[in-house]
């Protein structure tokens, strides 16, 4: 995902790693795309080694160095291939770690399991709140959200709601005294 975003941003204009990091932060890509800020520099190094981007300028300010990259023809081909590959692949967001933990639920005392699920519910509520704040901020700044972005955000919110409902059902089952081994 990081390679795709870095190539896509550089396809728009030459940028430094810091510029890319700022755009990713503003877009909240860590939340919706799993792009960690530190992974950007790793992706830049790898893409440069692969010939997908090239260094166009290096300036020094004090002890800091600012390297600006641009996408190459090979990078545009890679971007094209990554876009098609990503759009073709089904995105099945299974919470596999949660499913694994549920298969071993009998290893925990019931109250600890309930408390952990309550904490997950709280985190899901916080996540939904963060998305709502981001939408409100965009609206307050008068930013028009493109249709694809709006649909994507709505999808993320729906997934969070669905996950929250799943956790609620688990809590209800545990609070009703469901047997640990009945799953």
């Amino acid at each position: 995902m990081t390679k795709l975003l870095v190539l896509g941003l550089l396809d728009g204009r030459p940028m430094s790693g810091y510029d890319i990091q700022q755009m990713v932060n503003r877009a909240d890509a860590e939340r919706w795309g799993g792009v960690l800020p530190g992974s950007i520099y790793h992706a830049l190094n790898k893409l440069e080694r692969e010939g997908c981007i090239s260094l166009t300028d290096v300036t020094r300010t004090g002890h800091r160095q600012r390297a600006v990259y641009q996408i190459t023809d090979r990078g545009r081909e890679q971007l094209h291939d990554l876009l098609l590959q990503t759009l073709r692949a089904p995105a099945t967001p299974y919470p596999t770690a949660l499913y694994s933990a549920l298969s071993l639920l009998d290893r925990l005392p019931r109250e600890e399991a309930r408390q952990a699920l309550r904490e997950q519910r709280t985190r899901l509520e916080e996540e939904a709140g963060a998305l709502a704040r981001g939408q409100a901020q965009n609206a307050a700044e008068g930013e028009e959200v493109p249709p694809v972005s709006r649909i994507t955000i709505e999808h993320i919110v729906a997934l969070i709601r669905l996950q929250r409902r799943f956790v609620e059902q688990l809590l209800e089952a545990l609070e009703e005294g469901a047997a640990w081994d009945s799953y």
Side-chain angles (χ1 to χ4, degrees):
M1 183 59 161
T2 304
K3 279 175 70 171
L4 177 66
L5 283 176
V6 168
L7 286 171
L9 290 171
L10 290 176
D11 192 42
R13 66 178 168 91
M15 301 171 82
S16 69
Y18 178 79
D19 295 333
I20 293 170
Q21 200 170 38
Q22 293 304 303
M23 289 190 78
V24 166
N25 286 342
R26 278 193 301 275
D28 207 11
E30 185 175 347
R31 180 179 314 285
W32 55 264
V35 177
L36 300 173
S39 67
I40 292 166
Y41 291 98
H42 176 73
L44 286 169
N45 289 330
K46 187 171 183 179
L47 289 166
E48 186 178 22
R49 282 193 312 271
E50 294 171 352
C52 294
I53 62 173
S54 63
L55 191 60
T56 62
D57 186 37
V58 178
T59 56
R60 286 199 176 272
T61 307
H63 291 37
R64 294 193 171 193
Q65 181 174 305
R66 182 178 186 263
V68 176
Y69 299 90
Q70 69 180 9
I71 194 167
T72 63
D73 289 339
R74 181 177 178 150
R76 282 189 185 86
E77 290 172 14
Q78 179 76 12
L79 174 61
H80 179 266
D81 292 346
L82 283 170
L83 282 167
L84 286 177
Q85 178 184 359
T86 303
L87 289 173
R88 286 179 178 140
T92 50
Y94 299 124
T96 53
L98 177 60
Y99 293 164
S100 296
L102 290 173
S103 72
L104 301 168
L105 196 58
D106 62 334
R107 311 288 165 82
L108 283 176
R110 186 179 300 259
E111 188 48 42
E112 282 185 53
R114 283 196 293 239
Q115 183 56 37
L117 288 169
R118 285 187 206 109
E119 289 171 15
Q120 183 178 157
R121 179 180 57 197
T122 299
R123 288 190 182 97
L124 289 167
E125 290 166 355
E126 290 168 354
E127 186 73 14
L131 284 168
R133 286 188 299 280
Q135 287 176 304
Q137 182 178 353
N138 286 342
E141 293 172 359
E143 286 189 37
E144 185 173 330
V145 179
V148 171
S149 296
R150 181 186 47 76
I151 292 166
T152 302
I153 292 167
E154 288 172 358
H155 180 70
I156 293 169
V157 170
L159 288 173
I160 291 170
R161 285 185 184 136
L162 189 60
Q163 181 73 8
R164 188 177 186 284
R165 179 64 191 131
F166 178 59
V167 169
E168 286 290 338
Q169 289 173 328
L170 291 169
L171 282 167
E172 288 170 12
L174 292 176
E175 289 172 7
E176 291 172 0
W180 279 133
D181 58 358
S182 62
Y183 38 82

